[in-house]
Amino acid sequence: MEQNKTTEKSYHDMRCDFYEKFKTKIRPKILPFEKERINKKRLSLLLFTLFLCLGVLLIGINLVFAGFSQEIFVIGILFFLCAVFVKDIIAKAFERKIKTKIMANVCPCFGNLYWGSGSYKGDTALLDASCVVPRYDFSSFDDIFIGEHKNVPFEIIEAEYTREDGSGKSRRTVAVFDGVILKVKMNKNFNGHTVIKPDEFFHPKPAGHLIHTVLEDTVFEDKFDVFTDDEIEARYLITPSFMGRLKNIKTAFFAHTIRCAFYQGYLFIALSTPKDLFSLCSLDKPVDDFKQYNILCEEIISIIKLIDYFKLDEKIGL
């Protein structure tokens, strides 16, 4: 009980530090960008209207005067797509500009933490070999945080993985993962490779050397498949407490899916989330709207909390 009080106090300190930094350092840096935000909002609305009208015009002309031309119809659809995505593209560029200005002030509020964006500088081969995400062809990265909490090194990786399915005209791009991956150096010895992923009917293997393992917890088994190359070690790692925490985390983050991997001394947790985490600077809100920044603060804390929640700083069982 005393340990929980201490842990919560550290989160309280993080919040207080963040609020103080926002008032004294972050807000003065971002206020000069308010006029730019307004101009970008107007530009995005103008381009949205322009692309939408062009799309409607082309498709209308195509149907009324030209019978039906597949080429013109496709161009019209492309204008529709431009109308849909133009605001997101402009907003994302503005968000990255603001984050570049302020993240050096944001990160120290959460201890030993560093931020990057757009590319992952870590060990991608290790991440892929862990099988924490399904097979993919392309990857893209957004926010990357690297830090340490209670002497536990960790990485927070916001990523999207896609795969090309089919061929010819049936070829399409499928998102296999879109969310956040937490990579944590474990304070617990293990040598094998164990993967936990959502239950599938035929239990397809994430890797050829892994074997499907059935655990005693039937509720857990109904929701997850476990694959490992060391069944004894897997049972040592995936305790009833760990199973319960994993199910609770999926609910707490409103995650579509959750996958885990124990590999090379690390625990990987992949949360496929329905929202863009760590987002800032909506074009529809004042640039110094504190609510946005407070949400960012809580999202960072919620990921760091997983280290405490899974007791990853301890050498005892999970």
Side-chain angles (χ1 to χ4, degrees), residues 147-213:
E148 188 176 285
H149 178 64
K150 293 186 176 178
N151 298 317
V152 178
F154 69 87
E155 296 177 9
I156 301 170
I157 308 158
E158 190 178 18
E160 180 180 13
Y161 293 89
T162 58
R163 183 175 66 236
E164 295 291 328
D165 282 351
S167 60
K169 292 184 178 180
S170 300
R171 193 172 185 84
R172 60 197 180 101
T173 300
V174 179
V176 298
F177 176 81
D178 186 5
V180 173
I181 300 170
L182 175 64
K183 173 187 173 185
V184 186
K185 183 66 175 175
M186 289 191 61
N187 199 357
K188 185 170 187 174
N189 295 324
F190 63 92
N191 298 310
H193 184 187
T194 298
V195 176
I196 305 170
K197 67 186 190 70
D199 178 71
E200 294 181 78
F201 187 74
F202 290 108
H203 311 298
K205 293 182 178 183
H209 68 289
L210 300 179
I211 299 171
H212 180 238
T213 300

